[in-house]
Amino acid sequence: MSLLLILVAIGLVDSLSMIPLALLPMTVALGGRRPAALAGSFVVGVYVVYFCCGLLLLLGAEAFTARFGAGLARLWNQPEALELVIQILVGLLLLVSPWLMRRSSPATPQEAPTAGSSPAAMALLGGTLVLLGIPGAVPYLAAVERIVHQNPQGFAAIAYLLFYNLIFVLPLLSLIGLRFLFPQRAGKIFQSLATLSLSVLPKLTAVAVVALGLVLVADGIGWFLGHPLLPVST
């Protein structure tokens, strides 16, 4: 029972990282004509892909660490000059990417991204967003470590993983529940949120991309000056 409580706590914290990514497609889907099919398919895509990633971690965490752990540690703590140049170039590309995307985007307003979407497309979108967020899934690693530490027998480890992923998508499921518990009021709210998200989220994304680019550039230059920005292990 203690492991279940730990997985609930970690899963709810982990779900916070998914909410910003899922807010736009979920609000647009729930404010559209087929809220159950589109939003439900999105959640299924998130659940299936995240579970598969956890399963790979569960089955191959030790082998992955043994094969790539030393190289990743060296890349973080002792990068070579060429690697730092590549890091700075990537950072510069991130800095100008919002401007390039703004220039290439059409002047006419676009329809909501799920206006013509199918359930299969929404499931694919959910899985893709999960893969984009995997580098920040530190709580997931902690959950897998707790499961491995418990040393469950048979299919118990997979059952724990299924349970954890259910907790992970619980906030998204609660949005669907609100949509159908209060259909008229929630429908209007989700339509307003979708409109707001379509106007505000691109700006927030641009700020985050620029911030990441600044960090990469500053850290790369800092290495050449002998004072890296990001902490390293000695």
Side-chain angles (χ1 to χ4, degrees):
M1 181 61 68
S2 59
L3 178 58
L4 291 178
L5 294 177
I6 292 174
L7 293 180
V8 168
I10 299 176
L12 290 177
V13 172
D14 196 9
S15 66
L16 297 177
S17 65
M18 188 63 199
I19 291 176
L21 297 174
L23 181 60
L24 176 58
M26 284 292 293
T27 52
V28 173
L30 291 172
R33 297 180 179 179
R34 297 187 295 166
L38 295 180
S41 298
F42 179 83
V43 174
V44 169
V46 170
Y47 185 95
V48 171
V49 173
Y50 209 45
F51 170 77
C52 291
C53 292
L55 191 60
L56 291 175
L57 286 173
L58 193 65
L59 299 177
E62 184 176 351
F64 179 86
T65 303
R67 184 177 181 90
F68 300 105
L72 292 175
R74 198 276 310 161
L75 180 63
W76 181 269
N77 295 301
Q78 297 176 331
E80 297 178 356
L82 179 59
E83 294 166 345
L84 291 172
V85 171
I86 294 175
Q87 174 182 320
I88 293 173
L89 291 177
V90 170
L92 292 174
L93 180 61
L94 290 176
L95 287 176
V96 301
S97 61
W99 178 74
L100 294 175
M101 293 178 63
R102 186 176 180 180
R103 285 196 60 186
S104 62
S105 61
T108 57
Q110 299 296 305
E111 295 183 354
T114 59
S117 296
S118 65
M122 289 300 293
L124 180 61
L125 175 60
T128 302
L129 292 180
V130 165
L131 294 177
L132 291 176
I134 280 295
V138 176
Y140 206 8
L141 296 175
V144 172
E145 187 275 334
R146 286 290 86 198
I147 295 174
V148 173
H149 181 75
Q150 187 78 9
N151 193 23
Q153 302 298 319
F155 290 99
I158 296 178
Y160 281 125
L161 202 60
L162 290 169
F163 174 77
Y164 177 86
N165 280 272
L166 180 61
I167 299 300
F168 178 74
V169 299
L170 192 59
L172 304 182
L173 294 175
S174 65
L175 292 178
I176 299 177
L178 288 174
R179 175 65 175 82
F180 289 97
L181 284 175
F182 309 100
Q184 296 181 347
R185 183 178 302 177
K188 295 179 181 179
I189 292 175
F190 282 120
Q191 288 176 357
S192 301
L193 287 175
T195 302
L196 180 63
S197 299
L198 288 170
S199 61
V200 174
L201 193 62
K203 299 176 183 178
L204 295 178
T205 303
V207 171
V209 169
V210 169
L212 178 58
L214 285 174
V215 170
L216 292 177
V217 172
D219 181 66
I221 295 175
W223 270 105
F224 285 114
L225 298 178
H227 299 283
L229 177 64
L230 300 177
V232 296
S233 173
T234 56

